[in-house]
Amino acid sequence: MKAKGKKILVVEDEAVLRMALVDALEAQGYEVEEAEDGESALAQLDRDDWDLWLLDLMLPGVQGLDVLQRLRQSHPRLPVMILTARGEEYDRVRGFECGADDYVLKPFSMRELLLRLEAILRRVPNPGPAENGKLRIGQATVDFAGYCLHRQDRQFELSRREMELLKFFLAHEGQVLSRNRLLDEVWGADAFPTTRTVDTHVFKLRRKLEGDADKPQLILTVHGVGYKFVHPTPDVPQQKIDK
Ligand code: CA
């Protein structure tokens, strides 16, 4: 069974729902762990073999979105499916901004949830080893804690902004990101940069990450709009790039 061995964490404070999710997922062959609040979910962060987190937004203590933000710092590519109550429109939008991959509205049909979860797992390419806060991207190994990357026996330091930019690209893989959105999300209110600043940082990041900044394979230019990050997996022909 293709679900076999995939490890999922269910973060949900409602015990009945949590147990129903665990049972349904286990019946599909997933390996399931559970957490009843944000703190106990975060305590399981240092495991690096998760395949997906199912995350309720309304949790006692640390809220779901805060959990997601903390998760994204160390696991930029781990698929996360959010569970949210109908009508929490604002949270859903924030959820995507924080890097959720999909969401399911409560009450949901278990069958639909399982199908959507399978779809996420299917489209996630194997990210390669992401051990100790390191992630293989193309020919580079990025060290998130050390603010640097290694490529072809060379080490490149990344500025805080370059690292934040890279994390934002990783969390929004395959999405077209406008320069203005990147400015809002990565630079925020702390400076008065222009969209030109974004281009300069992208250029520097490409040079470190990819080598040839003029022929990018990872951070693609979308003319007239901005950029799109794609992550071809090694040993597999380059994944198709949607227009
Ligand atoms: Ca809840």
Side-chain angles (χ1 to χ4, degrees), residues 90-176:
Y90 173 73
D91 278 345
R92 272 188 282 147
V93 173
R94 288 268 296 134
F96 281 121
E97 285 172 357
C98 292
D101 295 86
D102 198 1
Y103 67 92
V104 169
L105 288 177
K106 294 181 189 176
F108 50 82
S109 94
M110 196 60 84
R111 189 178 137 70
E112 183 194 347
L113 180 138
L114 291 171
L115 288 173
R116 288 170 75 164
L117 193 141
E118 267 175 40
I120 294 178
L121 289 172
R122 238 191 344 257
R123 71 173 180 249
V124 171
N126 181 358
E131 286 163 13
N132 308 320
K134 291 185 183 161
L135 179 70
R136 180 106 181 142
I137 304 173
Q139 298 192 316
T141 303
V142 179
D143 178 349
F144 291 96
Y147 283 79
C148 62
L149 64 82
H150 293 87
R151 183 172 54 74
Q152 294 169 328
D153 299 326
R154 287 184 63 192
Q155 176 168 317
F156 300 85
E157 305 294 327
L158 295 182
S159 70
R160 188 174 66 86
R161 197 73 75 187
E162 287 164 358
M163 185 59 94
E164 283 173 10
L165 186 60
L166 177 58
K167 284 182 183 173
F168 195 79
F169 278 130
L170 284 165
H172 298 84
E173 185 182 341
Q175 296 177 28
V176 176

Side-chain angles (χ1 to χ4, degrees), residues 12-14 56 58-59 106:
E12 169 61 64
D13 58 315
E14 291 162 56
D56 181 30
M58 299 291 280
L59 293 167
K106 294 181 189 176

